[in-house]
Structures are given as C-alpha cells and as structure tokens.
Amino acid sequence: MAAAAKAGEATLRHAFGNVLSFFILLLIGVLAFSIRLFSVIKYESVIHEFDPYFNYRVTQFLTKNGIYDFWNWFDDRTWLLNSLNIPLSVETVCVFTAPIFSAFASWATYLLTKEVKGAGAGLTAAALLAMVPSYISRSVAGSYDNEAVAIFALIITFYLYIKTLNTGSLFYATLNAIAYFYMVCSWGGYTFIINLIPMHVLLCIVTGRYSSRLYIAYAPLVVLGTLLAALVPVVGFNAVMTSEHFASFLVFIILHVVALVYYIKGILSPKMFKVAVTLVVSVGLVVCCAVIAILVALVASSPTKGWSGRSLSLLDPTYASKYIPIIASVSEHQPPTWPSYFMDINVLAFLVPAGIIACFLPLSDASSFVVLYIVTSVYFSGVMVRLMLVFAPAACIMSGIALSQAFDVFTRSIKFQLLRILGFSEADAGDGSSANVVPENDAVKVDKSEETIKERPSRKNKKKEKEQMEKAQAEKTSAKSKTEKRLLVLPMELSVIGLLLLVFMGAFYVVHCVWAAAEAYSAPSIVLTSYTHEGLHVFDDFREAYAWLRHNTEVDDKVASWWDYGYQTTAMANRTVIVDNNTWNNTHIATVGTAMSSPEKAAWEIFNSLDVKYVLVVFGGLVGYPSDDINKFLWMVRIGGGVFPHIKEPDYLVGLLLLFVETDGKGFDRVRRTEIGKKYFKLTHFEETVYLENFLPHYIYLLTVITRQRGREQAHPAQKEADHERRILGSRK
C-alpha cells in the first residue's frame, strides 16, 4: 500500500510538473515576443537595416505572383493570410516574423537542453535565450533577415540530432534531415551544422562511444540531408563539390568502417576477428586514400582550394583583409572586442565555464555535443562578430545548465539543513523525489527481463540483451550520481547567500536585456534620432530621398551609391542600382569604389559610362550619424585599388575629409570631431538635388549627374523641377 501511495504521489507530481512547465514555456514565448517590440512602440512598424529590404521585396513578389514564378517549382499559390481572410499586410507580417520565431527558438532551446540535462535546465536556458541581447539584435520587430529564422532552424536541428542519438529512432532521424534542409533554405550558416555534427560523431568513435544509435543519428542525415540540400538552387551541386561538406562524407565512410568492424566482432570468434579486422582496415584505408586523393584533386583545381571566401576568413582571420576586401569591409565581419561579449551575453560569460564543468558530471553523448558546440562557437565568434549570434544559444544552454545545477544544490542543502534542525533523520532529509531516484518497480523489471534473457540465450535476443545491459548500466550510473548529489550538502548560510547571488545575477541580466532591447537595438537604421541641447530630433532622410526618387525620376533611371544602400533603393525607390548587397562581381563594386574615391571629373566620366543619373551620398558629420560614406571611404579605396592599380590607399590618408557638399558655415564634422579642410567650392559635373521640403539639417545627399548634349552640359530633365523648387524654397526662407 505504501509503495502504491508513493507511486501515485510521484505520478501526480510528474503531471503537475508537466503542466507547470507548459505554462512557463508559454510565458517564455510571450516574453521573447514582447521584448522585441520596443522598436515598434518607440518608432513605428518599419523594416530595419539594409539586407531585409531584399527579403521584403522578394516576399512581395512571392505573394503577388505565387511560388511558381518565384522558384518555378510549384503551381501558383496565393498569400496564405489573404486566403484565411486575415487583414494583415505583407509588411506587417515581415515586421513581426522575427519576434515570432524568437519564441520558437526559445521553445527549441528548452527541448534541446532538456535532452541534455533535464527540464529544469531546459526552462532556464529557454528563458535566457528569450532575452539574450545577441539574439535580440537580429530579431527585433522589423529585422526581417535570415538569421532571425535560421537560429530556430539551427537549434531544432541540433535537438532532433540529440533526440535521435538518445532514442535511436529512425523517425527522429528523418525529421532531423528535414530540419537540416530547412536550415539550408534559411541561411548559409548551415555549413556549421554539417561540420559540427561530423566532429561529434568522430569524437564518439575515438572515445569508444560508438553505438547503433549513433549510426542512426548520422547516416540518414548525410544521405537524405545532402539530397535535400542539393534541391536548393543556391546550393545545388555545392552540397557535394565544396570543401565545406567533405568532412561529413569522410566521417560517413569512417562510421561505416567502424560499424562493419563491430558487426564482424559479433559473429566471429576472437581469432577470426583479428584476421577480419586486418582485412577490413586494409580495405578501408585503401578506400579512404582513394577518396582523399579524389578530393585533393578536386580541391587543388580551385584557387581557393574549394573553400568559399567567408569560410577561409573563418579558418584564417587575415585572409579577407589580404585577398577579399569586400568581405572585410562589412562591419559585422570584424573580430569582436571584449566589451561586446559583455554587451551581447552579459553575465552568461561567467556562467558558461560552470556549465561546461556540469556537462562532465556525468559525461554523455548529448552533453559532449553541447560542449563541442560551445567550444567551436566561441572560436568562430572571436573571428567574426556576426557569429556571436551562433554563440548565444550555446551560452544560454550552458548557463541554463549551470544555474539549474547550482539552484538544485542550494535548495537541496537548505532543505537538508532545515530537516536536521527540525529533528528529522538523514534518510528523511535526503532527496526522495521520484525524479532523483530509480523506481523500485523499474529495477524489478530490469532484473526480471535479465533473468528471461538468461533463460533463453539465443542469437535473436543478443541485441535485446545488449540494449538491456546498456539501460541497466545507465540507471546504475544515474543512481550513483544521485547518491553523490545527496552527499553534496552546503551550510545553511552559504546556501542562502548563493541563492541571493543567483537572484541578483538574474535581476541584473533582465535589466540589461530590457535596456538593450529598448535602447541599443530598437532603433531602425532607416529612421535616425539625435539628441541635442534642443531635445530629440528624428531624421527620416532615407525615406524622404527614396520617395523623391520614386516620384520625381524616370522609371529607367539608374542610381549609384555604395553597395550598402542598394537593397533599400531598389525596394523603396523602385529604381535600378549599380551595386547592391548581393553583388559578387568584385570588379563591378571596385568600379563604383573608384568613382567614389576619384576627383569630380573622373568620377563623372565613370558614372556617365555606367549610365548613372543620380548619385546617393551619405554624410553624417552635420547631424552626428557615424555610419556614413566617410566612415566607409577607406574601404572604397581598398576595394577600388584591388582592381585598379592607380588607386593607392596612402594617397588618401592625408586630406581625407573632402566633401561633395557644404554643411554649415563653420564646416565642423561632428562625427570625426574635426574641422573640414576644404569648405567652399562649386561642383561642375554634379548638382545637389533638393528632396526635402525645408532646409533642415540632413545626412542624405542626392547628386544629379549633369549630362552632355550637343557639345554642352545640361542638367537632367528632372533636375529642372528641383532647381525651381530650390529657388521657391530659398525665397520663402
């Protein structure tokens, strides 16, 4: 009766825990969504940054023309929300996509961490990821970019791999391959997955942890995942032809050799096994050498040895600055500083080492994977600040494990000390919950099944016997670890202080994350604010300039600017640009960089040869906008000099601050905090276009390229109207 009562109490406690976990996860999802809405509350529902405008334009085309025209893959399909009669515009859906997927990523983090260290660690890790600033920076409302969706795909792929590894289920293995395909469609960072998982498989083989579950978790992923990845047009045959994928194939061969060895060992005598192993190893070495020779031949034929420029930049941090300045010119491809770690993950940086230690107590296949994940992501985040985004989930998982283990120790110690004070025995003071002890009924079942297997020792039951022994060994190890936990009891005062420190650390983390979401990462790049002694000023120059281009220029007019603004110009002004964020022709970008860094007449000749009608220049010295073209000017020089030898960087290091336009009377650059050298000059081949309704300070300058007709220079027809507006506004002023 007592045993039945205990079993009923444990079942009730388990059911209550599941319900509580569900509601906590629901609240975590609401938190992950709502903390990313500061940008909409403070500004408006607008898409941020530059790259997402390409995704927005593609989404508009997809909803208008259907998936068939978009990919030439399926029949025409209407926009789903329209078919459901939900009154939402495409832009609204794009703005709120990132916060929604951040909630999905938090739930996926719970599932992954639960497979590693239990539900408590999973809930803690999910709550940490919902607020971590590194992920918020790329998933606030309006961040309609690949990373916001890809982080969820990354975590769910890792979860399904660990789930397959723990269960040996072919169903989860198939889902894992589909999740990997989803990641390939979402982001080019899928190569991190297809290299990290083979590294873990190889680690398990080397450390003697091979099992049939490992084979089921990996083999379908390589075969089915590679076939699905090859269906993506951007990837295609790169899934089998580039060096980023070769490690997975090599480990795939090694895994089959090891599986063959284990199979032969089970059916042969020890003497015959030695002979067979020698034969298998010899044949395996020959096959591996042949495959490696083929790979080396393929790799040697490529100038970059089969690696992409970004991959080489990760393996050799100096590669991009030496050979591909266009990659090095992107600010998010620069190495991070130490303060950026504290800014993006805050106190998690101090909890990660504790989480790594907890993963070794005891070490399992799942915990070894997350340790390998954190080690590799730390390295890559140190090479490229953009990959802090990949490091953030690993840091949250490790910190969640550390906080859960610490909280478990402190609360158990307080419970033990209180029961001792109240006069209970040490047995009553121990942790008697069903979650921390092995049920007696399960132990009896194990013993009975073992006796049954011993009574019928046939070849058919060998696999069952092996699995049963593994299960019994795991339960013994778990029971031993639970016993060791009971012995780890801290003094009452130390436990209370430890709990207070955990609460203080959590409160500090929450305050920092809310500040980062509200202030640091909520401002959209397309709408800028500036604080002066007169108060807050909002600058909407980007949209004003794009609106002027859309309504006052010809449809076939071309606009030249640095490549950062290409996607925005195409999406918002609906005009053709010379270069944009997806221009891979280095010579083409170098031509624009050469024009930007050349004297006026030479620049005019280049733009005329490109049939450019307008040049968009960004200068933030007047309003205090630091990410302007002056800040990017040296990269224009370097990229242009990489193709055109007459452009030399040392020639531009003196007298750098030469501007196309006059700012204020004093000519003081607020960003560089210096006085402009050449203040008063007149442009002869370009003319500034007035696109604002007043003469307020601004940072976007549209220059009209003066065309040459009948032997003399004349302004573009659209410029005549702008000149007329300039004269009217000047007279009003």
Side-chain angles (χ1 to χ4, degrees):
M1 293 295 294
K6 282 187 177 181
E9 182 182 352
T11 303
L12 182 63
R13 184 184 301 156
H14 181 69
F16 177 76
N18 289 338
V19 174
L20 184 62
S21 298
F22 173 78
F23 281 106
I24 292 176
L25 283 174
L26 190 63
L27 292 176
I28 289 173
V30 173
L31 172 64
F33 179 83
S34 59
I35 199 174
R36 290 161 168 82
L37 301 183
F38 281 105
S39 59
V40 176
I41 296 171
K42 294 181 62 177
Y43 298 93
E44 59 180 295
S45 179
V46 62
I47 296 177
H48 293 209
E49 301 301 331
F50 303 109
D51 288 1
Y53 276 89
F54 173 76
N55 300 332
Y56 171 55
R57 189 164 60 90
V58 168
T59 305
Q60 284 183 314
F61 179 85
L62 176 64
T63 58
K64 182 179 180 181
N65 300 282
I67 193 67
Y68 182 81
D69 290 336
F70 172 67
W71 202 356
N72 194 24
W73 192 261
F74 299 104
D75 293 334
D76 291 342
R77 193 166 81 182
T78 58
W79 181 235
L80 175 61
L81 296 179
N82 290 342
S83 64
L84 296 178
N85 295 320
I86 300 177
L88 289 177
S89 65
V90 176
E91 183 179 4
T92 303
V93 174
C94 295
V95 168
F96 292 100
T97 294
I100 292 173
F101 272 89
S102 66
F104 294 162
S106 299
W107 297 334
T109 302
Y110 162 76
L111 295 174
L112 173 58
T113 314
K114 181 184 177 183
E115 289 295 319
V116 179
K117 282 292 181 180
L123 291 173
T124 308
L128 294 175
L129 185 75
M131 298 182 290
V132 65
S134 179
Y135 188 30
I136 289 178
S137 65
R138 306 306 290 259
S139 60
V140 294
S143 294
Y144 188 54
D145 209 348
N146 304 63
E147 290 89 340
V149 176
I151 292 302
F152 162 70
L154 177 82
I155 299 173
I156 199 67
T157 303
F158 286 159
Y159 158 69
L160 290 171
Y161 169 72
I162 295 298
K163 186 70 175 179
T164 308
L165 194 60
N166 288 340
T167 61
S169 170
L170 194 58
F171 171 73
Y172 286 112
T174 306
L175 291 181
N176 188 27
I178 296 174
Y180 171 69
F181 170 65
Y182 176 46
M183 178 64 182
V184 175
C185 296
S186 302
W187 192 31
Y190 75 92
T191 54
F192 179 70
I193 294 178
I194 204 60
N195 283 278
L196 180 63
I197 292 179
M199 289 173 61
H200 179 252
V201 172
L202 189 61
L203 177 66
C204 291
I205 292 174
V206 171
T207 55
R209 305 180 72 92
Y210 170 81
S211 64
S212 58
R213 293 176 285 105
L214 182 67
Y215 182 88
I216 295 174
Y218 184 69
L221 173 64
V222 175
V223 177
L224 185 58
T226 302
L227 291 175
L228 291 174
L231 297 178
V232 181
V234 179
V235 179
F237 284 102
N238 289 333
V240 293
M241 297 295 292
T242 56
S243 298
E244 286 93 341
H245 304 82
F246 287 167
S248 61
F249 302 140
L250 184 60
V251 174
F252 183 75
I253 295 173
I254 295 174
L255 181 68
H256 279 80
V257 172
V258 174
L260 181 61
V261 169
Y262 272 85
Y263 175 76
I264 294 175
K265 184 178 180 180
I267 62 176
L268 296 180
S269 62
K271 185 176 181 180
M272 292 296 297
F273 173 71
K274 291 182 179 180
V275 178
V277 164
T278 304
L279 179 61
V280 170
V281 170
S282 301
V283 174
L285 287 176
V286 172
V287 173
C288 286
C289 290
V291 172
I292 292 174
I294 296 173
L295 295 180
V296 169
L298 292 174
V299 166
S301 61
S302 172
T304 60
K305 302 299 183 285
W307 295 88
S308 64
R310 291 184 180 179
S311 299
L312 288 175
S313 300
L314 294 175
L315 300 176
D316 180 10
T318 64
Y319 178 83
S321 59
K322 291 179 181 178
Y323 304 106
I324 314 178
I326 184 62
I327 293 179
S329 66
V330 183
S331 59
E332 62 186 17
H333 292 170
Q334 303 298 320
T337 58
W338 283 113
S340 64
Y341 278 95
F342 186 77
M343 172 65 188
D344 284 346
I345 62 174
N346 200 247
V347 298
L348 305 187
F350 307 104
L351 295 173
V352 166
I356 294 176
I357 295 174
C359 286
F360 284 90
L361 301 173
L363 183 66
S364 63
D365 292 342
S367 60
S368 64
F369 176 79
V370 293
V371 169
L372 192 62
Y373 177 23
I374 188 71
V375 171
T376 53
S377 61
V378 164
Y379 167 75
F380 290 127
S381 67
V383 175
M384 190 177 292
V385 68
R386 181 185 187 183
L387 296 181
M388 288 284 290
L389 193 63
V390 178
F391 171 59
C396 292
I397 292 171
M398 287 299 176
S399 301
I401 293 173
L403 288 174
S404 177
Q405 297 287 328
F407 187 80
D408 185 35
V409 171
F410 292 146
T411 53
R412 186 173 60 249
S413 300
I414 292 175
K415 176 183 176 182
F416 185 89
Q417 298 293 352
L418 287 176
L419 291 176
R420 283 187 59 183
I421 293 173
L422 295 176
F424 289 91
S425 63
E426 292 187 4
D428 294 331
D431 190 359
S433 64
S434 61
N436 290 335
V437 294
V438 179
E440 293 181 3
N441 294 336
D442 290 347
V444 172
K445 289 179 182 178
V446 171
D447 294 339
K448 287 183 178 180
S449 60
E450 287 180 354
E451 290 176 0
T452 305
I453 292 173
K454 289 179 180 178
E455 290 175 359
R456 294 177 295 169
S458 62
R459 178 178 294 183
K460 184 177 180 180
N461 291 326
K462 282 187 178 180
K463 184 177 180 181
K464 288 186 178 181
E465 181 181 1
K466 184 178 180 181
E467 292 178 353
Q468 202 69 41
M469 292 294 291
E470 289 180 356
K471 182 178 179 181
Q473 184 65 29
E475 290 176 349
K476 289 179 182 178
T477 305
S478 177
K480 183 179 179 181
S481 64
K482 285 5 183 260
T483 304
E484 292 174 351
K485 283 184 179 180
R486 295 195 191 100
L487 299 177
L488 181 58
V489 177
L490 301 177
M492 174 73 75
E493 298 80 4
L494 185 60
S495 300
V496 172
I497 293 174
L499 280 178
L500 292 177
L501 287 176
L502 291 182
V503 173
F504 173 77
M505 186 179 298
F508 182 79
Y509 178 76
V510 171
V511 171
H512 174 77
C513 293
V514 172
W515 171 84
E519 301 295 336
Y521 297 132
S522 64
S525 63
I526 201 169
V527 180
L528 305 180
T529 57
S530 177
Y531 291 92
T532 63
H533 62 279
E534 299 177 354
L536 176 65
H537 292 276
V538 178
F539 300 95
D540 204 3
D541 292 11
F542 272 113
R543 290 192 292 185
E544 292 276 2
Y546 295 145
W548 189 93
L549 286 171
R550 176 185 287 268
H551 297 295
N552 296 277
T553 62
E554 301 295 334
V555 177
D556 57 349
D557 283 349
K558 297 180 177 62
V559 181
S561 67
W562 194 233
W563 61 265
D564 295 42
Y565 320 110
Y567 279 163
Q568 276 189 353
T569 306
T570 304
M572 302 190 72
N574 195 25
R575 293 297 177 265
T576 303
V577 295
I578 303 302
V579 291
D580 61 17
N581 311 55
N582 199 35
T583 301
W584 289 98
N585 190 327
N586 195 45
T587 303
H588 208 47
I589 297 180
T591 303
V592 176
T594 301
M596 292 289 190
S597 54
S598 297
E600 183 185 358
K601 185 176 181 180
W604 174 80
E605 292 175 351
I606 294 174
F607 286 135
N608 249 342
S609 67
L610 296 174
D611 194 24
V612 171
K613 302 301 181 183
Y614 295 93
V615 180
L616 188 146
V617 180
V618 181
F619 169 64
L622 185 60
V623 301
Y625 176 48
S627 299
D628 58 1
D629 286 346
I630 298 290
N631 189 39
K632 304 166 185 174
F633 182 72
L634 278 180
W635 287 112
M636 301 179 189
V637 174
R638 291 167 182 167
I639 295 171
V643 177
F644 303 101
H646 69 277
I647 301 294
K648 296 180 173 58
E649 182 177 343
D651 297 340
Y652 296 85
L653 297 180
V654 179
L656 177 61
L657 299 178
L658 299 178
L659 306 178
F660 286 113
V661 294
E662 180 184 352
T663 55
D664 56 4
K666 298 179 181 179
F668 186 78
D669 190 337
R670 288 178 56 190
V671 176
R672 267 65 58 172
R673 298 188 178 275
T674 184
E675 187 174 348
I676 298 169
K678 188 176 180 180
K679 304 176 187 176
Y680 305 104
F681 54 88
K682 184 178 180 181
L683 298 173
T684 58
H685 297 82
F686 300 88
E687 187 168 359
E688 183 185 354
T689 302
V690 178
Y691 65 90
L692 294 174
E693 296 181 356
N694 48 50
F695 287 93
L696 291 175
H698 53 284
Y699 57 90
I700 300 293
Y701 298 89
L702 283 176
L703 304 179
T704 303
V705 180
I706 299 176
T707 58
R708 188 185 300 273
Q709 290 182 352
R710 297 180 181 178
R712 60 193 184 94
E713 295 176 359
Q714 293 183 354
H716 189 268
Q719 181 60 25
K720 295 179 181 180
E721 183 180 352
D723 293 339
H724 180 64
E725 292 177 359
R726 179 198 293 269
R727 287 192 293 271
I728 294 176
L729 293 173
S731 62
R732 289 179 181 175
K733 182 179 178 184

